[in-house]
Amino acid sequence: MQSLVIVAHGSHLNPDSATPTHTHADTIRATGAFDEVRTGFWKEEPSLREVLRTARGDDIYVVPLFISEGYFTERVIPRELRLEGWDPELWGSDGISADTATLVASDIDTEVHYCGPVGTHEAMTDVLVRRAESVTGDPSVGDGFGFAVVGHGTERNENSAKAIEYHTERIRETGRFDEVKALFMDEEPEVDDVADHFDSEDIIVVPLFIADGFHTQEDIPEDMGLTDDYRDGYDVPSEVDGHRIWYGGAVGTEELTADVILERAADAGADIGDAIARVRQRTKPTTQAAGD
């Protein structure tokens, strides 16, 4: 019996914070790849400390729905799950290459396959591109467009910027978009000056965040000049300094993120059959371009 446990941050203040986690869990449940799919949160119920007690599987795969390797994935989650003998060195990572560590959770005396975060898996690059397709309504979008991958940026965790740069470079290597750049909220180059960083008239902006919240719904739109007050809303695309800005919001809300969770579990040894192909087919965008 296989159990998948998706762990996320959650929030006491933002009721929508857990929505992507529950949505992706439902998508994966529908594939039948796991006998059960559970969710656990740092700031909501069910809590990280309790969630493994609800898992009945002989093989338990824990996938963190987080962007980077750092404080939560390397300290908080292993501590709350009571993973015996945990050490970040077990991932053997350079900050963006965490794989899997198999340890006993002392609380339930069962082995747990603890996976790296979704945000550093190579499949997240596909999710970023899918969000570009979704926000423009064009499955072949690329020519004539610039693409900005946006991160928080913080000196407290250099791995945060590493994840942004990693996916930016992977998208750039495809040659699909005219320009691909990493921008940040709290360090240079800043997203506030997005129009100054691109020659392309059309610029797709996608924050590498798991859920929409204060930063993605308020700060970034206002900082880029899409609106003076986020409560008034804004157009997609919006005109800023002679450019059209196609703002996509948090990439973790894109349905294809469920694919990355599955990829993490499969890399750890889970038998998921054709679940990945089915999720990719099910989550193909069908909407028209926001500007149509």
Side-chain angles (χ1 to χ4, degrees):
M1 182 174 179
Q2 294 188 135
S3 297
L4 174 66
V5 179
I6 305 170
V7 292
H9 192 282
S11 172
H12 296 315
L13 302 176
N14 177 10
D16 298 323
S17 176
T19 299
T21 307
H22 293 306
T23 298
H24 303 323
D26 287 343
T27 298
I28 293 171
R29 285 189 190 100
T31 70
F34 292 89
D35 297 286
E36 62 178 1
V37 179
R38 303 286 186 182
T39 57
F41 301 91
W42 174 234
K43 291 292 186 179
E44 297 183 36
E45 296 295 332
S47 69
L48 297 178
R49 186 164 285 267
E50 301 293 333
V51 67
L52 287 184
R53 296 176 182 175
T54 69
R56 298 168 296 164
D58 302 307
D59 291 304
I60 302 175
Y61 299 87
V62 176
V63 178
L65 195 57
F66 284 77
I67 290 300
S68 61
E69 301 168 29
Y71 176 69
F72 283 102
T73 58
E74 294 179 347
R75 294 178 61 182
V76 174
I77 297 172
R79 181 191 70 214
E80 295 300 299
L81 297 182
R82 302 177 180 87
L83 300 182
E84 292 183 347
W86 163 255
D87 188 305
E89 293 297 322
L90 293 173
W91 269 343
S93 177
D94 58 3
I96 53 172
S97 58
D99 190 6
T100 309
T102 300
L103 307 106
V104 171
S106 61
D107 196 31
I108 58 174
D109 195 27
T110 301
E111 277 193 344
V112 171
H113 306 287
Y114 182 49
C115 305
V118 297
T120 58
H121 195 281
E122 61 182 15
M124 184 56 80
T125 303
D126 296 335
V127 184
L128 285 159
V129 173
R130 176 66 66 81
R131 175 48 62 92
E133 297 171 358
S134 298
V135 73
T136 61
D138 182 358
S140 61
V141 64
D143 287 345
F145 278 78
F147 195 137
V149 182
V150 180
H152 195 285
T154 172
E155 294 180 357
R156 291 176 299 173
N157 178 17
E158 65 177 354
N159 290 341
S160 175
K162 283 184 179 181
I164 306 300
E165 298 284 2
Y166 171 67
H167 293 296
T168 298
E169 182 59 28
R170 281 178 53 80
I171 296 172
R172 186 182 295 126
E173 288 175 350
T174 68
R176 176 169 174 172
F177 298 90
D178 288 9
E179 304 171 89
V180 185
K181 299 184 180 182
L183 302 179
F184 301 92
M185 294 184 63
D186 293 340
E187 61 185 71
E188 295 288 344
E190 292 188 346
V191 69
D192 305 35
D193 308 313
V194 59
D196 295 339
H197 296 298
F198 287 86
D199 294 323
S200 305
E201 185 174 345
D202 287 282
I203 307 169
I204 298 166
V205 179
V206 182
L208 190 58
F209 285 69
I210 291 298
D212 277 316
F214 179 71
H215 290 312
T216 63
Q217 293 178 321
E218 302 177 27
D219 283 348
I220 296 176
E222 291 181 359
D223 290 347
M224 288 194 299
L226 305 188
T227 179
D228 292 328
D229 188 333
Y230 76 94
R231 289 168 293 191
D232 296 333
Y234 50 86
D235 295 327
V236 180
S238 287
E239 294 279 344
V240 177
D241 297 336
H243 297 263
R244 283 187 295 270
I245 307 298
W246 302 77
Y247 181 57
V251 71
T253 62
E254 184 68 32
E255 291 183 338
L256 188 61
T257 304
D259 166 84
V260 190
I261 298 170
L262 285 168
E263 295 269 11
R264 276 295 189 199
D267 290 347
D271 180 3
I272 62 172
D274 65 349
I276 290 175
R278 290 167 59 194
V279 166
R280 286 184 170 249
Q281 180 62 38
R282 171 179 170 174
T283 59
K284 281 186 177 180
T286 57
T287 57
Q288 294 295 310
D292 287 353

